[in-house]
Amino acid sequence: MTYLVVMLFLYSEDKTFIGAVACFTNILAQLHVVLYVTALYVLRPNILYLLKSIQHQFWEIENCKDFKLQLDCYKTLHVLKWKYRIFCTLLFFCVLTYYYGRILESKETTPENMMFESYIPKWMNFWVMFAWQHLPAYGFPVIELAMDFTVFSIVSLTAMQFRLLRHEMEVIFKDSKDGIFVMDKFRKCSEHLTFLLGLKR
């Protein structure tokens, strides 16, 4: 795909600065996704271990005794879900507009109206190439979306865990006068804090 993008610029009769920028941007976008895929493949054991650790170590909102904080956490999750939905809608609207907007507007089967504005070999039919480009064209945003969702979710849920931990630390000495019980809860909070701080590495 990158080769075809470069060839379009090289075979172009009028090489302009805008064309060079478009070609360079196209290459960078493809390189960005390739690096994402490489990182996901190379780091897949670490990512899987991290997700399993989070699932096992994160405190459940249902176990929080403060109803107000519990309700606030649920509201935060609800807002995050809507933010993700809006983000997905905007992303796919931009993707669809970029992929199909040019050809719908001009209705011409030219290399500039391909999804990636790439060179079309003489022996290749436009629509065959256009259909083939759907594979990387939709793979790119899905990979980007998966990585972004993973990062956004971890950051958002970790921030919520700090709120739960802060509440637990504030009430740790109010629940009981038993020193052993207090030390157990303090140890639990300390271990959870260590785990949360470890996510930053």
Side-chain angles (χ1 to χ4, degrees), residues 49-199:
Y49 175 76
L50 175 63
L51 295 177
K52 287 184 177 179
S53 299
I54 288 175
Q55 185 179 13
H56 178 70
Q57 296 285 348
F58 270 20
W59 290 351
E60 297 289 340
I61 300 175
E62 294 82 2
N63 297 332
C64 180
K65 297 179 180 179
D66 189 332
F67 179 74
K68 183 178 179 181
L69 177 60
Q70 189 179 109
L71 186 63
D72 192 37
C73 288
Y74 281 125
K75 287 182 179 179
T76 302
L77 289 176
H78 182 71
V79 171
L80 287 175
K81 288 180 181 178
W82 273 105
K83 286 182 178 180
Y84 290 156
R85 290 169 184 167
I86 293 172
F87 175 71
C88 286
T89 302
L90 292 175
L91 175 66
F92 282 104
F93 176 78
C94 293
V95 167
L96 293 175
T97 302
Y98 178 77
Y99 287 163
Y100 303 111
R102 285 163 290 153
I103 193 169
L104 290 176
E105 182 179 1
S106 65
K107 297 180 175 60
E108 296 179 358
T109 55
T110 59
E112 289 76 13
N113 288 336
M114 296 292 290
M115 288 184 167
F116 290 97
E117 298 185 35
S118 59
Y119 173 74
I120 305 175
K122 295 180 180 180
W123 51 269
M124 177 69 73
N125 180 271
F126 173 87
W127 294 110
V128 173
M129 176 70 77
F130 191 79
W132 176 77
Q133 286 194 357
H134 277 73
L135 294 176
Y138 284 97
F140 287 2
V142 168
I143 293 171
E144 294 270 355
L145 197 62
M147 180 69 85
D148 291 344
F149 266 24
T150 302
V151 175
F152 291 163
S153 298
I154 291 176
V155 171
S156 302
L157 294 176
T158 302
M160 191 176 299
Q161 289 295 307
F162 274 108
R163 293 173 61 187
L164 294 173
L165 178 62
R166 183 181 65 182
H167 172 264
E168 192 70 18
M169 290 294 294
E170 289 174 351
V171 301
I172 193 171
F173 296 104
K174 298 179 182 179
D175 292 341
S176 175
K177 299 297 183 180
D178 188 352
I180 298 177
F181 180 76
V182 171
M183 286 302 298
D184 288 341
K185 295 195 70 174
F186 188 80
R187 186 180 300 108
K188 176 184 175 183
C189 292
S190 177
E191 291 174 354
H192 194 56
L193 176 61
T194 302
F195 173 75
L196 294 178
L197 293 177
L199 294 177

